[in-house]
Amino acid sequence: MNSLPPLPLLATHDVSNQAPPLENYNLFGRNRPLQEAVQREGAGAAVTWLADRGAELGTAEMIALGAAANRNPPTLKLFDTAGRRRDEVEFHPAYHELMGYLKRHGVAAGPWAQPGPGAHVKRAALFMMCAEIEDGTLCPTTMTYAVVPALARDPAIAAEWLPRIFAADYDPRFIPAAGKRGVTLGMGMTEKQGGSDLRSNTTTAQPLGNREYRIVGHKWFFSAPMSDAFLILAQAPGGLSCFFLPRFTPDGAVNDIRIQRLKDKLGDRSNAGSEVEFWGARAWLVGEEGRGVPIILEMGTYCRLDCALGTAGLMRQAVSQALHHAAHRVAFGKRLADQPLMRNVLADLALESEAATALALRLAGAFDAQDDEAQSLLRRILTPAAKFWICKRGPALAAEAMEVLGGNGYVEDGPMARIYRQMPLNSIWEGSGNVMCLDVLRAMAKHPRCLEALAAEVAPAMGRDGRYDAFADRLKDDLRRPENIEGRSRRLTQAIALLVQGALLLRFAPDGVADAFCASRFAPSDFGGGAFGNLPGGSDFAGILERAWPADAA
Ligand SMILES: Cc1cc2nc3c(=O)[nH]c(=O)nc-3n(C[C@H](O)[C@H](O)[C@H](O)COP(=O)(O)OP(=O)(O)OC[C@H]3O[C@@H](n4cnc5c(N)ncnc54)[C@H](O)[C@@H]3O)c2cc1C
């Protein structure tokens, strides 16, 4: 008889060389660029409060809620069992919990309900941290925040609705707003035949008297249809106008907003995106007939701020995951975080994340300075420029950060795949990339003093780094050349955003961070830009990485 050697004990449960999940850490306490930006942009008094939120958001429980809300997307309940229309969307409990958190901590209305120095910056910092954990719930939250200035134009609607918007309660019941503890709002502009070109809207508004109208038509993208009211655009006799469209009419009946279906989206899966038709829905004019676009774009401006903030938050989370993984994973006998080539990639990602954080918070600071003319001019040009550039860098950064995790980055068990799928959205909605660039040109044409505000903003950084100064000179020349300016507007917009990022890092970041940023973003390279991980050999890799680690493990 053959005597076979005994089988070795298979210990498949013995897992080694895998990073533990990144959880139970303080999203604020470990984010130095964010802490410093909060201080210098005027919200220093909120630091302790933000650290408390950062600790809450970094818990395993909050991270699990974010994952659950996305694994269990909302479902449309069009009819009841008897065949009557319901037009309701049902969400997973995790979605409701996250919405409750956002409302409770003022992400939807804090700066309006409790205005004061640094109020928008404080909210911006919290918004960024929330984006690290879950992004679908931020869509209705942003729209609720952004609607306030436009709504405040109508004293009657404002008197009734602003207190409900300001309430810190989240109340998801599908009942008339008068009986609710708090409300959320949405917006409807995009139609099948056109989204960027709003003048192509075909939805009609027929006057009924007393500023009330009957709306007939559709919206092709209509996020968060369970909101309590919406600002929409429709063609009135006097032209394209802005309307307030509540989900219930004042007599308590469900308004004639018919949900057609929910969008099957690449990412943003916890959030309900819908297509709707209006079958004679009742709505009330906001502002004057024919002035719809500027009114709703006022709402759009605040949404654009949030696109920049949200993407900066997602970038920080992507970089944190990459750093955390690299600190724990060993390959070829050394931690990834100690391999020279990986250190170059990680440091470059950290620089991009820090620059996005600095720019997004600087923009939020300009929103706090509403009464300062120079800040308003800066805000006018920087909002589309920051949205364009940060949101363009997001997907590239997410792809690179995902690769740091190797195959684990690509599977849905971890957070990287969700971050990657979420990233392109902020670039598309509320004005896609090209539309932002055209808006920068519009800002310069309508308010030429925007450029003076921009020059004043970066002046304190001049003379510190020759590569930066030369870049600023090249941009100045480019801006003076009128030929083919539309075709060149991506180049100009990107350069404006980079110019402000560079100025912020030169003035406020450690020397090693500013030097590596200038070397890689402003100095002409022999091999031309390209992938992350091309920082020059003499860069302060240790200093850049030390500043960026999300947790002690490093
Ligand atoms: C998940 C999600 C949620 C959304 N939620 C809402 C919502 O709640 N409410 C709402 O109203 N909309 C919503 N949108 C719609 C979004 O705002 C639009 O998709 C976006 O504004 C672009 O419009 P469009 O899809 O019609 O594309 P188009 O307007 O056809 O644009 C297509 C491309 O052409 C470019 N382009 C357009 N004009 C020019 C030009 N003159 N020169 C050069 N390039 C140009 C654009 O930049 C874009 O890249 C949502 C979209 C998504 C994906």
Side-chain angles (χ1 to χ4, degrees):
M1 251 180 70
N2 282 343
S3 73
L4 293 170
L7 279 173
L9 205 58
L10 290 174
T12 50
H13 57 279
D14 235 7
V15 178
S16 66
N17 198 24
Q18 288 278 4
L22 176 58
E23 58 192 20
N24 298 322
Y25 69 112
N26 191 320
L27 298 189
F28 189 73
R30 303 306 301 238
N31 189 343
R32 274 193 249 169
L34 179 62
Q35 289 170 25
E36 291 166 14
V38 162
Q39 289 281 1
R40 67 173 175 265
E41 300 301 343
V47 160
T48 309
W49 184 86
L50 285 167
D52 290 345
R53 303 289 82 74
E56 287 164 2
L57 286 163
T59 57
E61 290 75 19
M62 284 303 263
I63 293 166
L65 284 178
N70 283 276
R71 260 199 317 272
N72 302 279
T75 50
L76 179 59
K77 303 293 169 200
L78 271 188
F79 300 99
D80 69 11
T81 45
R84 284 180 289 263
R85 286 201 77 95
R86 275 181 65 190
D87 290 294
E88 285 184 67
V89 180
E90 286 180 0
F91 295 87
H92 188 265
Y95 173 92
H96 293 304
E97 271 206 52
L98 290 163
M99 284 298 294
Y101 185 88
L102 294 166
K103 281 284 272 181
R104 191 158 64 250
H105 293 298
V107 189
W112 311 117
Q114 280 144 2
H120 288 279
V121 171
K122 172 184 167 188
R123 172 197 175 269
L126 178 56
F127 189 92
M128 269 188 61
M129 292 193 287
C130 292
E132 292 197 52
I133 300 305
E134 209 291 305
D135 293 79
T137 44
L138 291 178
C139 171
T141 307
T142 284
M143 294 193 288
T144 306
Y145 161 69
V147 78
V148 171
L151 222 53
R153 291 167 173 277
D154 188 304
I157 299 175
E160 190 181 345
W161 282 80
L162 290 187
R164 295 171 186 155
I165 291 174
F166 293 175
D169 279 323
Y170 169 64
D171 186 342
R173 290 174 298 162
F174 189 45
I175 59 170
K180 293 183 72 163
R181 297 186 303 274
V183 298
T184 57
L185 271 82
M187 72 199 296
M189 302 180 288
T190 309
E191 297 186 0
K192 293 187 182 95
Q193 72 286 349
S196 309
D197 182 6
L198 295 175
R199 301 265 161 206
S200 70
N201 266 211
T202 57
T203 295
T204 59
Q206 178 196 357
L208 301 174
N210 258 344
R211 298 180 71 78
E212 184 179 345
Y213 290 68
R214 197 169 163 269
I215 308 290
V216 176
H218 82 281
K219 294 295 164 189
W220 180 232
F221 281 91
F222 200 66
S223 289
M226 288 303 284
S227 302
D228 297 282
F230 306 86
L231 281 195
I232 65 150
L233 287 180
Q235 302 284 358
L240 193 58
S241 309
C242 180
F243 294 93
F244 182 77
L245 179 83
R247 200 70 207 284
F248 286 81
T249 56
D251 54 9
V254 178
N255 209 352
D256 248 319
I257 303 169
R258 303 204 172 181
I259 304 177
Q260 301 297 106
R261 60 177 170 167
L262 296 187
K263 296 285 193 191
D264 185 6
K265 299 179 257 101
L266 169 68
D268 201 49
R269 298 192 73 80
S270 66
N271 183 27
S274 71
E275 299 161 17
V276 292
E277 289 182 354
F278 307 126
W279 290 47
R282 293 169 66 189
W284 283 262
L285 182 66
V286 177
E288 298 310 313
E289 277 194 13
R291 299 287 301 152
V293 172
I295 293 173
I296 212 152
L297 284 188
E298 191 172 7
M299 180 173 182
T301 297
Y302 286 86
C303 293
R304 289 169 184 177
L305 166 66
D306 276 7
C307 289
L309 291 167
T311 301
L314 274 164
M315 285 164 103
R316 168 66 188 167
Q317 180 59 212
V319 174
S320 297
Q321 292 290 343
L323 288 164
H324 179 72
H325 183 84
H328 288 89
R329 180 81 167 178
V330 173
F332 302 99
K334 253 202 296 201
R335 287 190 324 161
L336 291 175
D338 297 327
Q339 315 263 5
L341 185 51
M342 183 58 94
R343 286 170 74 75
N344 199 326
V345 172
L346 294 171
D348 205 2
L349 293 174
L351 284 183
E352 194 65 38
S353 168
E354 173 153 2
T357 296
L359 178 57
L361 265 281
R362 176 67 192 92
L363 183 61
F367 277 75
D368 263 323
Q370 301 277 348
D371 301 331
D372 181 316
E373 198 200 353
Q375 293 294 299
S376 293
L377 285 164
L378 182 69
R379 183 166 60 115
R380 180 63 191 89
I381 193 164
L382 205 52
T383 305
K387 180 192 186 281
F388 172 76
W389 185 236
I390 293 174
C391 297
K392 276 280 163 265
R393 295 297 276 169
L397 178 141
E400 196 67 65
M402 178 194 274
E403 195 168 318
V404 172
L405 276 73
N408 284 2
Y410 196 68
V411 295
E412 294 281 351
D413 291 345
M416 288 308 300
R418 172 151 66 90
I419 292 173
Y420 182 72
R421 288 187 285 98
Q422 185 73 31
M423 274 293 192
L425 176 55
N426 279 335
S427 194
I428 292 174
W429 90 296
E430 271 312 330
S432 310
N434 287 354
V435 172
M436 289 301 89
C437 299
L438 297 176
D439 196 43
V440 165
L441 297 188
R442 196 171 306 115
M444 294 192 300
K446 266 186 96 174
H447 311 280
R449 290 181 53 223
C450 280
L451 292 179
E452 285 169 34
L454 184 64
E457 171 70 15
V458 302
M462 302 304 289
R464 292 172 189 242
D465 186 291
R467 298 160 296 193
Y468 181 77
D469 294 351
F471 178 84
D473 286 343
R474 283 202 302 278
L475 174 58
K476 211 190 282 174
D477 289 345
D478 255 23
L479 285 166
R480 283 203 198 105
R481 280 174 36 222
E483 73 276 7
N484 187 27
I485 192 146
E486 197 170 315
R488 289 189 293 120
S489 59
R490 273 197 177 219
R491 181 183 154 89
L492 296 176
T493 302
Q494 163 179 331
I496 288 169
L498 272 166
L499 189 77
V500 177
Q501 287 185 327
L504 290 166
L505 297 189
L506 277 167
R507 291 174 66 195
F508 304 115
D511 290 348
V513 169
D515 176 67
F517 193 80
C518 289
S520 52
R521 272 62 170 176
F522 301 129
S525 151
D526 294 344
F527 303 108
F532 284 101
N534 275 314
L535 300 180
S539 303
D540 179 13
F541 295 106
I544 297 168
L545 291 174
E546 167 56 29
R547 185 169 163 80
W549 296 119
D552 286 326

